[in-house]
Amino acid sequence: MATYKIQEKELQSVFENLLKKNIVEGIMVQKKGEHGIFPVLITDPDLLEGITPSAPLFSFNRAVLLQNNGCRKLAVVVNPCEARAINELKKLNQIDMDNLIVISGDCLGTFDPKDVQMDSTSPENIAEKKSELRTACTVCEHFTPPEVDIAIYGIGVDGGLVLSTDREELLEGLSLTPGEPSANRDAEIKKILDEHLAAKEKMVSGISETLSTTDGTIELFKHCIRCDNCRDVCPICYCKVCYFQTPLGDLKTDDMVNQASIKGLLRIPPDILFYHLTRNIHVAPGCVECGACEEACPRDIPLLPVWKALASDVQSIFDYIAGMEKEVPLPLVQFKEDEFED
Amino acid sequence: MQDQNEYFEHYYEDVPLEDDYLMLAPEIALLEDQTSYIESEIEINAENAIRTSKRKMEGDVLVVGAGISGMQAALDIADKGYRVIMLEKSSTIGGNMVKLDKTFPTNDCSICTAAPKMVEVARHQNISLMTYAEIMSLKGEKGDFTAHVFRKTAYVDPDKCTGCGDCAVVCPVEVINPFDDKLSKRKGIYIEFPQAVPIVYSINYENCVGCGSCERVCDAEAISFLQKSEDIEIKVGSVIVATGYDLFEPLEMRKEYGYGKYPNVITAMQFERLLSSFGPTEGKILRPSDGGKPESIGWIQCVGSRSKQLGFPFCSRVCCMYATKEAAITKEMDPDIDVTIFFMDMRAYGKDFQQYYDKAMEMGVNYIRARPSSVYQNEDGSIAVRYMDTHTREILEMNQDMLVLSTAIIPSKENPRLGEVLGIEVDNNGFFQSGSIVSDPIQTTRDGVYLAGCNQGPKDIPDSVAMASGAAARAIEAIIEREKVTPIPPPEEKDVSGQEPRIGVFICHCGKNINGFLDCEEVAEKAGEDGNVVYSINSMFVCSEDSQKEIREKIEEHDLNRVIVAACSPITHGGLFQDTLVESGLNKYLFEFANIRQHCSWVHSHDRPKATRKAMDLVNMAIAKSKLLQPLSQEEVDVTPVVLVIGGGVAGMKAALALSDMEIDTHVVEMSDKLGGNLNKLHSLFPTDQEPSELVTDLSARIEASEYVTVHLNTTLEELEGFVGNFKVYMKGPDGDEELEFGSAIIASGFGEIDMEGKYGYGSSPKIMTQTELEGHFKADDLEKPETVVMINCAGAMDEERPWCCRIGCGVSIKNAKLLKERFPDSDIYILYRDIRVFGKDEEEYFANVIENLKVKIIRYSEVEKPDVAIGEDGAITVKVRDQVYNEELELPADLLVLTAQTEGSESSVRLQEMFKIPVGPGHFFIEAHAKIRPLDLASDGVYFCGSAHFPKNLADAIAQAEGAASRAAIPIMQGIVKGEGITSSINALTCSGCGMCVEVCPYSAITLDEETGIAVVNATLCKGCGACAAACPSGSARQRGYRDNQILAMMYAMG
Amino acid sequence: MDEKSDFEPRILGFLCNWCSYAGADLAGVSRFQYPPNVRIIRVMCSSRVDPMYIVKALTDGIDGVLVAGCHPGDCHYIEGNYRARRRMVALDQILERYGLKDRVFLEWVSASEGKRFAEVITHVTEEIKKLGPNPHKKKWEI
């Protein structure tokens, strides 16, 4: 593991190097344009000028774009939650890591681009605009990069950033100064984490109360129109064809009449709770808690708290954190003979 | 409490026992003895009563005895396409195994593993099963035997009996139940246990008072006192004797332990029945004297074994482990019960046994090394056990609320008679004599007659099963030229695809068994309301032969394309109705069962309306699924008729020869430059002192002479592809690369001593060597006379790193001690040991002789204080050891220090594991598909193993396994095709994302991701139809045929 | 309270073919009585039970679901019950939040445990009776 001290501006040269040496064909990164900062895919090294890799924005989880990435070599600069989704998708054979270089840095929180002015989107402004941070970020437990090709540390670094990688071949030809984060990095991380954990606990206890009664559950989901947005933006919902798009799950008028005739009445759209619970079963073991689903919901259903509660419930019993490591197998494809015995 | 007491019937002077089987025609006995005083409405016609019926049957192999060994042998032969006639003396198959609660070392439920095998035997079209039958004579010779069999009438027509048990309720006769080992009573008309196969009631004429109550109550009219016993003449080519064993009854000999005198002294088999959920106490451990909960239970080992004066001289092999198992289960059920085992040597010699024993100790099972001298009963009914403390030599007493005697496996008392009938010899213990106890355990003294299981010597279940497969292989030789059974092709299957479901529903009354507790007519009417049900009827016995005819007629008449039977259980009767469908040209998967007897009428017999309602729902669910049923086909693949044997040691050679005898092309691949394996390194064999070179030379010559066996020496396997039926291997040999296609494989990759470097001074002195190296010196005859020899057993064994027992070391050390003593009579020889584990036939006797007559000294050391080896500057070796028996520190000078080294599987195991996708356990030994009933099969189909690739073993066991593996490997070859399951999984390629969850959860490696498309693909031949993949797939792309999402959901919607 | 005492729960049972279904058969042969509320669906292995079925059943208003398989170590398909156990444990975590966990049972019943099967069904039925009807049954219907 090599670590280097680096200024944000120099990141550009790191990316340039990757493109010029043909290590990758393109780089997915954020860039400032006339109407704001947007994720872009850059193949021409000359167009790297003006990139804002650290801009604290999250419009959607870009891991969904990388599913079935094929054989074109790319580097992606993503938030930790996106990087975790990428690692998770790797385990599900949905992403070919051989063709992907994942670059991710410490994340102090992100804004929803529709909520903030574009000029305020630099990490320095986060402290001032804390109340405008995306909810998911305020309860985030994994704001440092998971296992990635190149990690960029900002927390506990005196002036600038620290770049860390065990793939030094990616940095060949660059003259970088070795350097490490300061000794109080861990303490600083802990401080943020404690704050987030407290917020999370509050969020989870709130949702627990809601879900614990049937009425609460119904209130929560009753306006769902089964638009599938939450599913479509979810990086962990990787199925090419969802169960709810197959004849069994996607009820046609005929089916609905048949079902209605069993009880005399069928609430439509049908199977709202079944739909959400099924997503819960499928996604909870791998949920990276990015919050994209909640933001995609046209009916403002507070999905994030639900996932916040369920993901840690399920992952913690298997001693698993989604996407943190590339090689740890998915919890539901393994077992121990002497577990959960009672 | 009074009630509990009734469970236990310990005293049985007045009650006739089923064991007292008399070979007399019951009719005659009845006429002669009983008719004078029985009151029966049945007039026994003197003419009818005389045995006149004479039936003739022809088969290929006769199997005598239907315990686990007999069943395995029969299935192995029948699966190869030959006809088996199977005789069983009692009314059910299954033998002793089904009496056991759980089996060591996996704690598998015994009946769960045995029952499917029993059903398979009963339904196998090549097996004719005769219960209540005994062999009376065997004439002729190998290839052409004529057996006379007497089949006692059970007064019940097996074709009519539905197993409902109404008869037993009314039967006034109560007799001791031998199945519960005399702990309970059963009726005069009976089935041995609820899962009995065939599930047909029987009357033992000795017990019957002829009152006729059963006959009057039987709606199926299955009981007829006019039914005659039969004399049957059977022609076969070979005979397998699998008649099992008896358990020692400590009534006369060993009566000092109070069995039969004190109620709280029971045998281990009785304890098994107490543990069993379908035993007399429904699995509760209760004290026989008062039905109370015991606070302490003791076991005494070696009751009837390891003693010439007070039983039998041999070790009974299984008692250490079953006692450990029983004690551990007791502890698991109730940690407050104190459990103590009094033992002499802990013979935890088998695979995972030592670990099991270690675990039992951890659980708190108390082991005391002592052979108690006597016991007496205290006033409170508890038992005081007297024994001598091995350290202090003090006589101690310990009270036990219950005392369990681990009684020995002994030869059946029938053996002398049976030996005479079969023309085979019985050995001096009373077991059947083998061709050779080390090199031909399966052969009897008569050509064409083979042995399986414990009638040749005490054995554990997997050893019996392996031997049974071996006997099956040997029995084929004489009949190999015979034509195999060609199954009668069923009528052509009707194409029902695209048809609207036309369902026929048949509701069974089962006499009163169903209709008595729910309204079958209403159920049938309700079923008829469904739009797709075109025929619905309730009838008395749907399983009867005339009902099958009716079903066939109705299929024809109403053009039915789905059939539902609502009756008993698909497990027992599903196959029967499926056959009926097939006879009518319907695919058997268009059948659906509703279990309204076992799951409804019998368990809700006090609430007729609710039971009726539930039955309607169950039928409705079956209808819902039935509408979605589709015809399924079973994948068939042709088989390359070649077997690959990996390893040319004795196991590999024996397997190859057994295959050769079955005229199967066999290729033996051996890494080294000659056949013989470890035997080439040995000087002589335990316990016969036979020279292995004779055996190797003999086997090599036979392999050389065989036209079916090709040997590849100096050859290694490089790469493997394919699966059962059609494998292809790339090999590297002396003449370059070779390719070989084969249908099945036997792994006989053997074992070796571990690297002893650094242990007990090994490597630092030429006078320190392993047993194998010592054998080398014997062979070279270059040993100088040592003054003192020390052998350290369990060197590198049974410790944290390698917790297993090497199984063979004790025997080897004793044999080599004897050899040294014979060469150097004045030398002192010490064997330092932890337990003396000589468990096989004649081994105990050999051991006793070496100790008593050759004065080899044995010193027990403990696992916590292992011997210490010091080498002085002059090279002198001193072994320091604490004698655990006398608790004193000894210093032994050693001119020669021999280490009995721990063993482990071949280094090639890891590569073979990857190639064949088979699991490897501790010590590089392969893990069998099932520890008890599939000991020779590996998890991958078509791959079998034998010998020490499984676990270290002595020659006899290795050979029995080798011949068994040959039998297993021959099955796909002789069948010519490999047939998959119908209910396999398939993948919807259009919706599959290729995530691989299904691949990961498949226990049979039947699913792979296509290299090109990334989509999952199922190999239908390997798929066993568990459906794990279907549940793992989030998108519903993995589907299990016959258990598809839509079918299961439809049942859910229909459940009412 | 009255509603509860008249309440006859509808319970769905998934039994594996080799152990639990055979155990249910044995309960029948042994005539062990138990409440008539369970409807059995036979599957080959407990690992066939997709958690989705359970969720579907509960959201459709079925009052309780039982999944029964071979004891750990006894699986006919080597390891299916271990997989079933993991899935059910994960499902439990989710259902717990929704207050539905107590309606789902995972039990091991062997082919020899007829008595135990009857006890399991009795226990499950009693527990569900105590909980009362599945509230989702009516409430989602407006």
Side-chain angles (χ1 to χ4, degrees), chain B residues 750-755 802 804 902-907 909 922-925 948 952:
Chain B
F751 75 126
E753 289 176 338
I754 61 165
D755 183 3
R802 297 185 176 86
W804 61 93
Q902 172 67 307
T903 55
E904 62 187 1
S906 155
E907 282 166 31
S909 307
H924 295 323
F925 299 113
S948 300

Side-chain angles (χ1 to χ4, degrees), chain B residues 108-109 112 164 194 277 569-570 595 598-599 602-605 610 614 617 1004 1028 1031 1040 1043 1045 1053 1056, chain C residues 8 10 21 24-26 28 31-34 36 38-39 42 47-48 53 56 60 73-74 77 83 87 111-112:
Chain B
D108 264 340
C109 160
C112 298
C164 71
S277 332
S569 171
N595 187 335
Q598 275 92 322
H599 291 190
W602 276 351
V603 290
H604 312 310
S605 41
K610 280 184 183 160
K614 178 171 171 179
D617 288 347
Y1004 303 101
Q1040 187 189 3
Y1043 296 87
D1045 282 342
Y1053 295 140
Chain C
E8 285 298 341
R10 294 155 70 228
Y21 196 92
D25 277 358
L26 178 58
R31 313 295 202 276
F32 295 132
Q33 302 292 305
Y34 54 80
V38 177
R39 305 291 178 266
R42 182 172 65 108
S47 69
R48 173 67 189 92
Y53 299 156
K56 180 71 181 147
D60 274 355
D74 282 6
Y77 301 102
R83 301 211 179 274
R87 287 182 193 138
S112 71

Side-chain angles (χ1 to χ4, degrees), chain B residues 525-590:
Chain B
E525 263 172 38
K526 178 78 181 12
E529 287 171 15
D530 188 282
N532 289 103
V533 173
V534 293
Y535 183 76
S536 170
I537 188 78
N538 50 315
S539 58
M540 192 54 99
F541 292 108
V542 180
C543 61
S544 66
E545 192 42 51
D546 43 321
S547 283
Q548 302 315 297
K549 201 167 139 240
E550 193 192 332
I551 295 175
R552 286 193 292 267
E553 282 166 9
K554 296 301 169 191
I555 291 174
E556 197 61 37
E557 189 184 328
H558 297 277
D559 196 20
L560 303 177
N561 56 19
R562 307 281 193 283
V563 173
I564 291 168
V565 171
C568 45
S569 171
I571 293 179
T572 53
H573 284 71
L576 170 77
F577 296 114
Q578 285 192 322
D579 288 349
T580 302
L581 261 69
V582 171
E583 285 160 25
S584 304
L586 283 179
N587 184 285
K588 68 177 182 181
Y589 294 98
L590 296 172

